Amino acid sequence: MTVPTFEEIREALKVPRIYELDVPVISRVEARTKGVTRYFTGTKCKHGHISERNTLSGACIACDRVNYELRRVSND
């Protein structure tokens, strides 16, 4: 069994832009005030994803998904 590279996993998990941009733009502070778990800034993360972010950590949801898959396949 071959383990996919980071780039292969990242490409496989890309969300079409039409779904990424259907979320209203809100700041992390506003999200915390409203008590929601995710927010959307409309800007790219350091890895180039335009997706929602986790309110607690500020982490990009797409990056979290890629990192989860990398950990999952490396533990097999």
Side-chain angles (χ1 to χ4, degrees):
M1 177 181 178
T2 61
V3 176
T5 66
F6 178 77
E7 289 299 319
E8 291 171 337
I9 291 173
R10 201 168 97 188
E11 285 298 315
L13 295 176
K14 277 195 176 174
V15 177
R17 287 186 177 259
I18 189 168
Y19 299 115
E20 293 174 350
L21 303 176
D22 285 344
V23 181
V25 174
I26 184 174
S27 71
R28 186 174 179 187
V29 174
E30 284 180 89
R32 280 186 171 175
T33 304
K34 291 181 179 182
V36 295
T37 58
R38 292 182 178 185
Y39 67 101
F40 182 69
T41 62
T43 60
K44 292 181 180 180
C45 72
K46 65 182 179 181
H47 296 288
H49 303 121
I50 301 176
S51 71
E52 291 178 303
R53 294 176 177 262
N54 186 320
T55 304
L56 280 177
S57 66
C60 169
I61 299 298
C63 287
D64 282 349
R65 194 171 11 174
V66 169
N67 290 330
Y68 170 78
E69 286 298 321
L70 285 172
R71 283 192 310 271
R72 188 180 66 77
V73 296
S74 66
N75 289 333
D76 287 346

